[in-house]
Amino acid sequence: MQNKNSKYGEIQLVHRMTVIKRIIHWSFFAAIINNIITGFYIAYPFLIFGKTPTQADSLSTGVLNSGETYQAFIMTWMREFHFIGAVIIDVIFFVWLYLAFFSWKEPLYKSFIPFGDKLEEAWRMLKHYFTLKDRPKTGRYQDPLNAIIFTLFHLLILLQMLTGFQMYVASFTGTSAVGAWWPWLLHFSTDWTLVVFGGLTGVTLVHLFIMWLIIIFIAYHVYIEVWRSVMWKEGDILIPFGGYKYMRNKSESESES
Amino acid sequence: MASNQDSNSKNSNSNGNNPEKDFKWDPLRFISKKPDEVLKKVDDRLDELEKEYFSGKKDKEENLPNILELYGVSRRDFLKWSAFLTSALMLPYIFEPRVARAANILTRTPFIWLDMADCMGNTEGFLRTAHPTPAEIILNYVSVNYMESIMAPAGYQAEARKTETVKKYKGKYILVVEGAIPTGMDGKFLTIGAKGDTGLKITRETAKHAGIIIAVGNCAAYGGIPAANPNPTSAVGLSSVTNRSVINIPACPANPVNLVGTLVEYILIGKAPQLDSLGRPLWAYSGRLHDNCYRRGHFEAGEYVREWGDDGAKKQYCLYMMGCKGPFTWNNCTTAEYNQDISFPMRAGHGCIGCSQPAFWDRMTPFEKPNADAKIIIPGIEATADEFGVGLFAAAGAGIAAHAIYTGVKKKKEHKKSKNEKNDNSGKNDDNKKE
């Protein structure tokens, strides 16, 4: 133990994610996975229910038979779960936005300000990824590179929300069960997407494309957290599970000298 | 009134017979808070127009029956049709006789139909019907002062007819424009008539003094096929070349019911009906095809046609996978229907191609594939959103793998090196400053 400590420095337990943030993290994850699957179905209905004989002759053209039309309604369910997932994502986005500024523990904006310094630190982190040297200290706070990437990711989510709501409001005819303010609000906040992306079809394609960027983000995010855990030996991957990570006084590159 | 430059004000279409600018007209929810007043206004307006356009009581009462008789349409059929149109216009039952009166007046209202850059499909759609409904008959018998395809005069005479109408019925005539207006090279891509005037000039001059301006068909409304990418003639829709407000009746071709309905509503109230953000009358274009489609249940049930003529097609399953653009299109095809009110694309077994939306030739293609298979518009990239996404994902995955391997190799090397260094006992300090 003494040996290891002298090699890697003193181990310290650092609280990084509160219970609330962990709940947010995992419900966000579940909702996004749910929306990717259901969204794929909405774009390409890959299962055919209530199939006819010629449509069921291979796996790719339909495998499930639930009988009559009135018994199936798979698209309805897919859309329903897509909307439920979307509501969860929307709520989480706004909670994230709130916490990014007013979190008691660690508001995200502190990882940006002062802007110049943090940007430089992010750049150093990026260099560290490729040189494995000169690791900037991360311990008690979100490192700026992650903060920037998470913010970009949330901007993608925001764009996904806006394009999604534009498609959602398309079936409204001026009013709704909760009043005319609701479609009005959606039109007001999302109609610009029609102009920018070229009509509802363009909005749909953008929605589909951003999904791929989000999938790429998930892959990157998992990889880099595993990489950090392996390389830094500070248990970064444990943060969203237990809320804690370890911190060493000395980094490995220091100890190696 | 006619020279009202405010293109946003719907009231600028008023032909002067009805000067009340704040005349409230909202058939989608409720007509007005004072229904009696509105009815009186409508009645007064109809009386006035009847006095103006008919020579006497006999003329007024026999005009429409004479026309309809020619086509074997009975009075009963006409009443059914006017009831249908009344409900299509979202007007209460009390308006039915008034709609019938307005249809009668419509046949005498001066009318100019301009043909610009298009296939004249709308003209064909209205004129060539085997069993015309009252909508088509009324369109055939409107007092057409100028319409190239059916008028007797030609050349200078035709031009004279048009100028005369514009002068005589200043602010009263109905102007229907069909076809896109090329604006490239000062509009010289399209010249019409004996004087060789450009379409741009003709539309601008005629639109200036029209009582109501209607762009019929997708080309006139949004540029349509002439304006499709790359749009060599810089064709645009009518609303882009005039600062008067334009009522768009898009679709390819437009449904005669929508045109006649809009004209009847104009006769009734003297101004444009309520329009949506794309300038289309809300009574006809407020419903999405997908939401009103009779195959919607199969969409929800996950029952789709997978190839032309398969069992699903025979059972009239949803055409979503065959590229139906109903989810992106607003029109009343599913309720008002085409071809003498008997069919529309989905009933005929083919998906919607979105012809009543702007730039449909660019945005709705490929017509027979789902929208997700459309190419995304990023310069230099020709791929669907998924192909491009998968490509990026693969690139990202390759990057991650490369980084992982690089890290592993480098780590090993450094490990070896540091071991060697340790063995040599010649370690040197890392001079990197840390906070």
Side-chain angles (χ1 to χ4, degrees):
Chain A
M1 213 54 214
Q2 191 59 39
N3 261 347
K4 268 204 165 164
N5 273 356
S6 66
K7 190 180 174 197
Y8 298 121
E10 293 273 338
I11 275 190
Q12 230 181 325
L13 207 54
V14 192
H15 192 212
R16 283 291 298 276
M17 267 175 119
T18 58
V19 182
I20 300 283
K21 282 189 181 174
R22 275 178 276 154
I23 290 172
I24 287 174
H25 179 271
W26 289 111
S27 27
F28 210 16
F29 171 76
I32 287 173
I33 296 296
N34 165 64
N35 273 25
I36 287 171
I37 295 168
T38 53
F40 256 126
Y41 185 84
I42 294 166
Y44 299 99
F46 43 79
L47 299 176
I48 290 188
F49 278 62
K51 59 175 169 40
T52 61
T54 53
Q55 290 187 320
D57 49 15
S58 81
L59 279 177
S60 62
T61 55
V63 283
L64 295 164
N65 187 350
S66 64
E68 296 296 318
T69 299
Y70 72 92
Q71 291 169 317
F73 287 103
I74 179 165
M75 182 58 101
T76 312
W77 285 113
M78 289 290 180
R79 277 159 50 87
E80 187 67 36
F81 278 100
H82 199 74
F83 293 159
I84 291 169
V87 167
I88 293 171
I89 288 171
D90 298 342
V91 170
I92 288 174
F93 176 82
F94 286 112
V95 172
W96 174 84
L97 198 63
Y98 174 82
L99 288 179
F101 290 99
F102 304 112
S103 168
W104 287 354
K105 181 155 182 58
E106 187 201 345
L108 192 73
Y109 79 86
K110 285 197 174 160
S111 302
F112 282 112
I113 296 167
F115 200 64
D117 287 13
K118 302 288 179 179
L119 219 57
E120 201 214 314
E121 200 182 322
W123 174 239
R124 272 198 281 140
M125 180 63 88
L126 201 62
K127 274 204 292 199
H128 168 68
Y129 283 167
F130 290 98
T131 60
L132 313 184
K133 282 181 200 152
D134 313 337
R135 173 158 82 89
K137 261 277 191 308
T138 66
R140 300 189 181 285
Y141 65 95
Q142 188 80 273
D143 69 283
L145 183 65
N146 257 7
I148 289 168
I149 287 171
F150 291 172
T151 308
L152 290 178
F153 165 70
H154 280 86
L155 287 180
L156 288 182
I157 292 286
L158 177 67
L159 204 52
Q160 207 68 327
M161 282 163 61
L162 292 169
T163 50
F165 271 126
Q166 177 56 45
M167 289 188 272
Y168 177 68
V169 80
S171 60
F172 283 61
T173 50
T175 187
S176 77
V178 292
W181 62 271
W182 173 232
W184 179 86
L185 181 69
L186 296 185
H187 278 299
F188 180 77
S189 54
T190 67
D191 271 5
W192 61 269
T193 56
L194 289 178
V195 181
V196 175
F197 302 132
L200 199 55
T201 46
V203 170
T204 313
L205 294 180
V206 167
H207 197 73
L208 188 61
F209 178 62
I210 293 173
M211 177 204 68
W212 282 106
L213 297 184
I214 287 173
I215 291 176
I216 289 170
F217 166 80
I218 293 173
Y220 162 81
H221 180 57
V222 172
Y223 171 73
I224 212 67
E225 293 308 325
V226 170
W227 186 87
R228 284 176 169 207
S229 313
V230 171
M231 298 302 292
W232 299 352
K233 300 196 171 57
E234 291 185 349
D236 286 62
I237 199 80
L238 298 175
I239 297 172
F241 297 98
Y244 288 90
K245 73 169 263 182
Y246 304 106
M247 194 172 78
R248 296 175 196 284
N249 289 340
K250 284 159 117 188
S251 71
E252 214 176 320
S253 53
E254 280 173 286
S255 66
E256 273 174 8
S257 56
Chain B
M1 186 70 60
S3 58
N4 192 337
Q5 299 292 299
D6 183 8
S7 60
N8 290 326
S9 164
K10 288 164 193 167
N11 294 323
S12 64
N13 282 310
S14 174
N15 73 352
N17 288 343
N18 198 347
E20 284 91 354
K21 277 206 156 190
D22 51 350
F23 182 68
K24 192 171 180 317
W25 182 257
D26 189 356
L28 259 68
R29 283 164 212 101
F30 52 90
I31 302 283
S32 169
K33 277 178 184 157
K34 294 172 186 160
D36 292 342
E37 212 170 278
V38 169
L39 270 185
K40 195 173 169 299
K41 269 178 191 160
V42 168
D43 284 343
D44 288 350
R45 186 180 153 76
L46 289 176
D47 287 342
E48 206 175 304
L49 288 175
E50 274 173 352
K51 217 179 278 170
E52 192 176 341
Y53 293 132
F54 294 101
S55 57
K57 196 164 180 264
K58 196 169 168 241
D59 183 21
K60 182 179 87 185
E61 277 168 8
E62 284 179 1
N63 172 46
L64 207 51
N66 284 343
I67 294 170
L68 295 172
E69 207 175 303
L70 275 174
Y71 287 89
V73 175
S74 66
R75 180 176 169 276
R76 191 166 183 79
D77 286 339
F78 174 70
L79 289 182
K80 275 194 253 175
W81 177 81
S82 54
F84 154 73
L85 192 63
T86 311
S87 58
L89 286 167
M90 302 188 185
L91 293 174
Y93 176 70
I94 197 165
F95 273 92
E96 195 201 319
R98 290 168 179 87
V99 165
R101 275 173 80 190
N104 190 20
I105 294 167
L106 185 57
T107 61
R108 295 291 176 92
T109 313
F111 191 94
I112 292 181
W113 182 299
L114 294 178
D115 264 309
M116 295 292 138
D118 79 333
C119 66
M120 290 179 65
N122 296 288
T123 311
E124 296 285 324
F126 302 147
L127 296 182
R128 293 194 201 282
T129 42
H131 306 284
T133 58
E136 283 110 15
I137 298 168
I138 288 165
L139 271 183
N140 286 2
Y141 273 85
V142 282
S143 124
V144 179
N145 296 46
Y146 183 88
M147 182 175 188
E148 284 115 358
S149 39
I150 59 167
M151 67 196 298
Y156 289 108
Q157 279 180 321
E159 301 264 309
R161 187 84 188 274
K162 190 175 71 203
T163 359
E164 189 198 317
T165 314
V166 172
K167 237 182 227 166
K168 195 173 165 193
Y169 299 105
K170 212 171 183 177
K172 283 184 190 174
Y173 62 88
I174 294 164
L175 172 66
V176 176
V177 177
E178 177 190 355
I181 295 127
T183 58
M185 271 170 54
D186 221 10
K188 286 199 180 63
F189 283 107
L190 174 71
T191 54
I192 295 169
K195 289 177 201 152
D197 284 338
T198 62
L200 191 63
K201 191 183 164 211
I202 294 172
T203 33
R204 273 189 183 149
E205 278 173 0
T206 328
K208 221 174 185 177
H209 303 296
I212 187 168
I213 307 170
I214 292 178
V216 65
N218 195 302
C219 298
Y222 309 121
I225 293 161
N229 192 39
N231 193 2
T233 61
S234 312
V236 293
L238 181 60
S239 50
S240 308
V241 300
T242 172
N243 46 18
R244 301 277 316 272
S245 87
V246 174
I247 304 171
N248 292 330
I249 315 271
C252 192
N255 196 335
V257 173
N258 292 352
L259 178 58
V260 173
T262 307
L263 291 175
V264 161
E265 201 165 343
Y266 165 67
I267 300 285
L268 283 176
I269 59 171
K271 58 183 185 183
Q274 281 202 310
L275 305 178
D276 69 2
S277 58
L278 294 169
R280 306 177 290 195
L282 271 178
W283 66 266
Y285 293 90
S286 62
R288 195 165 59 145
L289 281 182
H290 187 53
D291 297 332
N292 296 333
C293 183
Y294 79 108
R295 299 188 181 204
R296 177 64 187 258
H298 292 297
F299 170 80
E300 299 290 352
E303 296 176 332
Y304 304 100
V305 178
R306 285 297 165 118
E307 54 185 272
W308 299 121
D310 72 356
D311 258 24
K314 285 171 197 159
K315 289 188 170 181
Q316 310 205 343
Y317 281 179
C318 177
L319 292 153
Y320 184 66
M321 293 304 285
M322 299 310 293
C324 179
K325 298 298 184 292
F328 313 106
T329 311
W330 280 257
N331 204 338
N332 59 354
C333 310
T334 48
T335 47
E337 308 194 17
Y338 273 86
N339 292 345
Q340 299 102 60
D341 311 341
I342 58 164
S343 193
F344 58 96
M346 280 76 95
R347 173 155 292 159
H350 189 282
C352 167
I353 61 168
C355 67
S356 56
Q357 294 301 115
F360 79 103
W361 206 261
D362 296 326
R363 291 174 182 173
M364 302 290 178
T365 44
F367 289 140
E368 296 185 350
K369 278 183 183 165
N371 183 48
D373 281 348
K375 300 273 188 272
I376 49 173
I377 305 161
I378 297 179
I381 290 162
E382 191 166 327
T384 67
D386 281 326
E387 283 164 4
F388 190 40
V390 169
L392 281 186
F393 184 61
I400 285 174
H403 186 252
I405 292 166
Y406 164 81
T407 310
V409 170
K410 181 138 184 160
K411 184 96 184 160
K412 215 166 202 178
K413 245 186 209 164
E414 266 173 19
H415 196 64
K416 233 181 211 168
K417 205 171 137 196
S418 69
K419 241 184 195 168
N420 291 341
E421 276 171 0
K422 251 178 209 164
N423 289 346
D424 296 349
N425 207 6
S426 61
K428 53 185 172 177
N429 270 333
D430 195 351
D431 54 358
N432 187 39
K433 286 269 182 323
K434 298 231 162 57
E435 287 149 40

